[in-house]
Amino acid sequence: MSPRAAGYDVVVVGAGSSGAAYAARAAETPGRRVLLLEAGPVFGAGAAPGVLLDGTRMAAARPGGRYADAHPARLAGGAERTIVRGRVGGGSGALNGGVFLRARPEDFAAFAAGGRDAWSYRSVLPVLAALEDDRDFTGPGHGRGGPVPVRRPDPLLPATEAFIDACRSAGHPEEPDKNAAGPPGVGRLPLNVVGGVRHSTALTHLAPAAGRPGLEVRGRTPVLRVELDRDGRAAGVLARPDGGAPEPVRARTVVLCAGALRTPQLLMLSGIGPPAVLRGLGAPVRAEAPGVGAGVQDHAMVVLGARGAPPRPPGTEVAQAALHLPDLEIMPYTAPFAELIGPGAGPPDQTGWGVTLLRPRSRGALVPLSADPADPPRAEHRHLIDGHDRARLRAGVLHCAELMAAAGLEPADPPPRGTAALDRWIAERASTAVHLSGGCAMGDVTDQWGRVEGVPGLRVADASLLPRVPSRGLNATAVLIGELLGRHAPEDSR
Ligand SMILES: Cc1cc2nc3c(=O)[nH]c(=O)nc-3n(C[C@H](O)[C@H](O)[C@H](O)COP(=O)(O)OP(=O)(O)OC[C@H]3O[C@@H](n4cnc5c(N)ncnc54)[C@H](O)[C@@H]3O)c2cc1C
């Protein structure tokens, strides 16, 4: 980190969906020096391993994978599981399912509540259009020539056609462009997978920015904590390059983009958080922020297995179409999880249909387990603790079973009737769509630009600043966060 003695204007922590986009945008300002620090490796253009590029599978997402950060998680009914996040340039977006769905106008209305005008649908729409290169739709609200390629699958598998027909027969409307904010229904999924290649922000944002004079990118350099000066202002970070000795890096502004698990953890390890939690960790209390780690939200998901796994042609996407109701998503996967992720991820002879609760009321917490930055914090999802959430997921599971029958599929494990039995059945099978949001929410821990209240010079710019989980997959919103806040990166005195 050669110029560190002089310091940087901005140090960005985490090169995931948000952080890579943030750093690329922030470094466009002439004369600004931006340093991007990523815990995992960052591969240059053309050097990424196939397991990250292959958007027809999610093989890098298995716990224990070389590019995965595994976290203990408590899911519905208190079930203990391990969840993964990306630990590599591109972050979780480098190993995800490739679905690139925008959040809904209602989500942005919730983000913008309380005077956060930068987050209104009207304000973000030009940024959503500018970040995409939509190969199927043009016109108002869509973009051509932006960094993220977006396309819808074509042709569709016979199994996907059967799913769409079943939805139509059940009276669901068509939704040809799921990024157009029209009435929800059934239709093809927008994907950032083109020619079988997953286009994470490592490809879409970092590769084109390589060589830009204002941007320096360091992989394999986990940040251990934010350094605060005597007045409580962020002065830089302490990082550990390549497993060596910790090194301070000075910067006028620190931007945390380490994701909804690691960003709240970094704040707490830096002495910013709920005092009782900080004291429990043995961290000094530098700024009281009770909202750090609190109120996180995620999408609970139940997968219904169907017997049989018809072979799919090479190049087939992980998922091709989905049904959206206002608060539920039903999405058939194109192959067994054992094929998509790897052996042990599910029965090899069953294809799954995911039923996801999109507008949960339940909220959880992020719990750091030790003062060691290398120890992953635990995600207490507390899915389905709210009775309304249980009722809606029950309705979704039963409707999914009806659609499966209408599509001519034989359920491998049919859900029982009766509220109590079905609740039990769901709790035993519920997992997560891995869309954790919040933990440093705008309006609580930060303002609308991600500025951490009470700590000048410190910002958050990733999914942890969302006051609620969007009612769609999270990746497009995570990229938007980086794009939007990176365009307003600070010159900063605050
Ligand atoms: C298996 C899986 C499948 C998914 N599928 C989809 C999908 O199909 N569609 C969808 O919309 N969403 C999907 N998601 C969710 C979506 O990809 C994530 O929500 C999104 O990538 C989050 O972006 P982020 O920038 O907040 O965090 P991340 O992308 O996770 O980035 C955080 C980055 O910070 C780095 N980091 C962490 N700690 C430190 C530290 N101390 N120092 C330096 N660097 C650090 C990490 O290594 C990582 O690169 C999926 C997620 C997973 C895990």
Side-chain angles (χ1 to χ4, degrees):
M1 284 183 265
S2 43
R4 68 181 179 277
Y8 294 85
D9 295 305
V10 183
V11 62
V12 181
V13 179
S17 297
S18 300
Y22 187 105
R25 287 292 157 256
E28 282 174 348
T29 298
R32 182 184 281 154
R33 289 160 309 153
V34 178
L35 173 66
L36 173 59
L37 299 176
E38 163 57 42
V42 179
F43 297 101
V51 72
L52 298 176
L53 296 176
D54 182 0
T56 70
R57 301 177 64 213
M58 295 185 281
R62 66 188 165 77
R66 178 184 285 202
Y67 307 112
D69 192 13
H71 292 258
R74 204 165 273 164
L75 303 181
E80 303 277 352
R81 301 274 156 70
T82 300
I83 57 168
V84 300
R85 311 278 308 188
R87 187 180 170 89
V88 64
S92 302
L95 43 76
N96 75 6
V99 174
F100 203 76
L101 272 168
R102 294 177 181 178
R104 299 278 303 174
E106 313 84 82
D107 297 318
F108 291 109
F111 302 162
R116 294 187 292 270
D117 303 341
W119 292 92
S120 72
Y121 187 58
R122 221 175 101 205
S123 301
V124 301
L125 193 55
V127 186
L128 285 167
L131 68 80
E132 72 176 10
D133 181 24
D134 195 309
R135 311 281 169 93
D136 301 314
F137 290 96
T138 53
H142 270 305
R144 274 280 161 89
V148 183
V150 179
R151 57 171 278 278
R152 286 122 193 109
D154 187 24
L156 298 178
L157 295 178
T160 309
E161 301 275 17
F163 162 73
I164 292 175
D165 285 345
C167 292
R168 279 191 199 122
S169 305
H172 294 294
E174 307 270 346
E175 189 186 11
D177 177 6
K178 285 186 171 288
N179 278 344
V186 63
R188 293 178 302 154
L189 282 165
L191 303 167
N192 59 332
V193 175
V194 178
V197 174
R198 176 190 296 104
H199 282 66
S200 75
T201 50
L203 267 66
T204 60
H205 288 77
L206 288 188
R212 203 173 279 164
L215 179 62
E216 188 180 337
V217 182
R218 295 275 160 175
R220 295 190 172 89
T221 306
V223 166
L224 309 179
R225 62 167 188 258
V226 180
E227 301 274 48
L228 305 183
D229 67 16
R230 232 182 283 154
D231 302 331
R233 195 196 146 80
V237 297
L238 189 68
R240 191 193 291 280
D242 281 323
E247 281 188 23
V249 180
R250 293 195 60 76
R252 289 184 349 159
T253 302
V254 175
V255 185
L256 299 181
C257 304
L261 285 136
R262 294 291 190 175
T263 286
Q265 180 198 25
L266 273 174
L267 285 174
M268 292 190 220
L269 297 183
S270 310
I272 303 158
V277 177
L278 303 185
R279 285 191 204 102
L281 289 172
V285 181
R286 298 299 308 272
E288 291 195 13
V292 173
V296 301
Q297 277 199 316
D298 180 44
H299 292 146
M301 180 171 87
V302 180
V303 177
L304 273 72
R307 284 196 202 288
R312 48 175 206 157
T316 305
E317 303 81 1
V318 167
Q320 296 190 316
L323 170 66
H324 286 102
L325 306 174
D327 60 349
L328 290 165
E329 176 184 81
I330 298 180
M331 185 191 289
Y333 291 90
T334 57
F337 281 101
E339 183 184 328
L340 295 177
I341 298 176
D349 54 350
Q350 290 176 23
T351 313
W353 287 24
V355 184
T356 301
L357 183 70
L358 297 176
R359 293 211 177 130
R361 295 183 181 174
S362 308
R363 288 183 180 269
L366 219 258
V367 182
L369 299 176
S370 88
D372 181 351
D375 274 355
R378 185 171 62 217
E380 297 261 7
H381 286 83
R382 299 180 195 154
H383 288 153
L384 309 180
I385 53 170
D386 187 290
H388 177 266
D389 290 355
R390 290 194 295 279
R392 292 306 298 148
L393 198 52
R394 282 198 302 274
V397 163
L398 292 178
H399 190 50
C400 181
E402 287 163 4
L403 292 174
M404 275 182 150
L409 296 176
E410 189 193 341
D413 175 21
R417 301 276 153 174
T419 304
L422 187 49
D423 271 348
R424 259 196 318 278
W425 188 93
I426 289 173
E428 283 160 11
R429 289 157 183 78
S431 73
T432 164
V434 217
H435 295 157
L436 197 73
S437 304
C440 314
M442 291 187 280
D444 183 356
V445 176
T446 80
D447 70 3
Q448 67 170 339
W449 302 110
R451 291 186 286 216
V452 177
E453 302 290 351
V455 187
L458 182 58
R459 297 183 178 221
V460 169
D462 62 24
S464 58
L465 60 68
L466 297 176
R468 74 174 208 195
V469 66
S471 58
R472 292 293 181 272
L474 192 52
N475 197 36
T477 304
V479 178
L480 169 71
I481 292 169
E483 284 267 358
L484 179 69
L485 298 186
R487 283 157 201 246
H488 294 272
E491 295 308 331
D492 203 29
S493 49
R494 218 217 104 169

